[in-house]
């Protein structure tokens, strides 16, 4: 604990009161206009502009981040839900990029699970767009892995890769919105679907994938070796021909730049042999 408390200067006190004023939903001026206007009645009007502008900027951010959700809901409903979120969950970061991080989960109760799922996809694509840079490996990188090394080899997915669980026809609705078509009504899927989201080059991408492929990618992301992934698939789905399924997955991951790194067993690393 510091020996002395920070000094609250008149300027800091005024800034704190200004922040409290901006965060009030109704904008009733606990910050008197005489504080900043030297008795000028126009100061209250100017404060009101700041109060409205704060919300307008956050609303603009949510519209930009959740573009397909906005199209689905329309201006009036989207804005009402967004403004309710703005009042309930004030911005806590200096970077507007992260405002709305928990909104998809909140939409489950306020707009329905199908809308929340579309918002989750919107958010995941934005995360992939400006997610961390990473390396990319291709077919030539894995061709150097010796057959006996494959069971202990680890393949790390790209830092932006995420597998989303879908319970509704969200992809069908997303594509309709993207093509400026009327989206179909929400429908529950007969069984859970999966979507892979990642950045390829400078652009975010997504595609559907089977439950088996999603399980394998997530296991790789948790650091499991190729042998452990294959054994886990066989144990979980005994009817699955793992060898026949895994080879096409690997080729596609490499072609689509989903994988970032191949990690050989320490005693079989080609780099150590070159040394």
């Amino acid at each position: 604990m510091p020996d002395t408390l920070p000094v609250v200067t008149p300027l800091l006190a005024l800034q704190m009161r200004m922040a409290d004023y901006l965060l009030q939903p109704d904008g009733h001026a606990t910050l008197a206009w005489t504080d900043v206007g030297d008795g000028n009645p126009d100061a209250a009007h100017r404060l009101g502009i700041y109060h409205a502008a704060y919300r307008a900027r956050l609303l603009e951010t949510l519209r930009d981040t959740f573009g397909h959700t906005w199209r689905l809901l329309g201006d009036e409903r989207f804005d009402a839900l967004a403004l309710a979120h703005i009042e309930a969950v004030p911005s806590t970061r200096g970077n507007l990029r992260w405002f709305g991080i928990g909104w998809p989960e909140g939409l489950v109760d306020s707009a329905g699970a199908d809308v929340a799922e579309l918002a989750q996809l919107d958010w995941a694509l934005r995360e992939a767009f400006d997610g961390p840079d990473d390396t990319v490996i291709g077919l030539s990188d894995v061709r150097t892995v010796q057959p006996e090394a494959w069971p202990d080899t680890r393949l790390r997915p790209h830092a932006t890769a995420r597998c989303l669980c879908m319970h509704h026809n969200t992809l069908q609705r997303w594509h309709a919105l993207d093509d400026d078509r009327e989206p179909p009504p929400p429908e529950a899927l007969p069984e859970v679907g999966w979507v892979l989201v990642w950045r390829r080059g400078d652009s975010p991408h997504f595609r559907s994938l089977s439950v088996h492929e999603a399980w394998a990618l997530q296991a790789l992301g948790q650091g499991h070796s190729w042998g452990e992934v294959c054994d886990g698939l066989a144990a979980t789905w005994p009817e699955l021909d793992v060898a026949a399924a895994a080879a096409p997955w690997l080729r596609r991951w490499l072609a689509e730049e989903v994988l970032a790194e191949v990690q050989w067993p320490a005693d079989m690393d080609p780099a150590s042999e070159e040394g």
Side-chain angles (χ1 to χ4, degrees):
M1 182 174 179
D3 295 333
T4 58
L5 295 174
V7 177
V8 179
T9 64
L11 175 58
L12 178 59
L14 180 60
Q15 290 173 330
M16 293 168 65
R17 294 178 66 194
M18 182 68 173
D20 289 341
Y21 166 80
L22 291 176
L23 293 176
Q24 288 184 67
D26 55 8
H28 289 164
T30 55
L31 179 66
W33 58 266
T34 51
D35 283 332
V36 294
D38 295 329
N40 183 350
D42 190 49
H45 173 68
R46 296 198 304 271
L47 283 171
I49 293 175
Y50 278 105
H51 188 274
Y54 167 77
R55 284 150 182 77
R57 187 69 184 92
L58 293 179
L59 175 59
E60 179 186 354
T61 298
L62 292 178
R63 282 183 165 189
D64 179 63
T65 302
F66 298 95
H68 286 72
T69 309
W70 177 19
R71 293 182 212 175
L72 176 72
L73 296 174
D75 293 350
E76 185 175 347
R77 190 179 179 207
F78 181 92
D79 289 359
L81 291 167
L83 289 171
H85 178 74
I86 290 169
E87 302 304 346
V89 188
S91 178
T92 58
R93 305 194 189 189
N95 188 343
L96 275 177
R97 158 66 184 88
W98 296 106
F99 185 68
I101 189 170
W103 198 34
E105 291 79 6
L107 286 172
V108 173
D109 292 330
S110 59
D114 59 295
V115 175
E117 205 166 84
L118 186 69
Q120 182 187 27
L121 181 56
D122 269 337
W123 182 263
L125 287 166
R126 180 55 59 93
E127 276 193 320
F129 175 72
D130 60 6
D133 291 332
D134 206 347
T135 54
V136 173
I137 61 171
L139 186 58
S140 60
D141 296 290
V142 299
R143 278 178 171 166
T144 57
V145 180
Q146 298 299 318
E148 62 273 17
W150 268 108
D152 297 316
T153 296
R154 286 170 168 76
L155 299 168
R156 181 174 63 82
H158 194 275
T160 62
R162 286 185 59 189
C163 292
L164 304 181
C165 182
M166 295 289 171
H167 297 271
H168 300 84
N169 57 333
T170 300
L171 289 188
Q172 186 182 6
R173 304 180 85 198
W174 198 98
H175 285 301
L177 292 163
D178 204 45
D179 295 336
D180 293 322
R181 294 182 285 109
E182 182 70 21
E187 292 182 4
L189 297 176
E191 57 184 36
V192 172
W194 288 88
V195 176
L196 170 64
V197 179
W198 80 107
R199 187 179 66 239
R200 182 178 182 182
D202 296 326
S203 302
H205 290 261
F206 71 90
R207 67 169 175 85
S208 59
L209 67 172
S210 68
V211 62
H212 311 111
E213 186 182 1
W215 190 95
L217 267 176
Q218 291 179 98
L220 289 175
Q222 293 165 3
H224 292 286
S225 69
W226 185 252
E228 290 170 338
V229 171
C230 292
D231 289 344
L233 286 166
T236 308
W237 294 280
E239 74 283 359
L240 179 67
D241 186 338
V242 175
W249 294 342
L250 179 56
R251 287 194 295 269
R252 187 168 187 179
W253 296 339
L254 294 169
E256 293 179 337
E257 300 180 1
V258 174
L259 299 179
E261 184 182 8
V262 55
Q263 300 169 343
W264 293 269
D267 58 343
M268 298 183 182
D269 189 340
S272 62
E273 294 177 5
E274 292 174 4

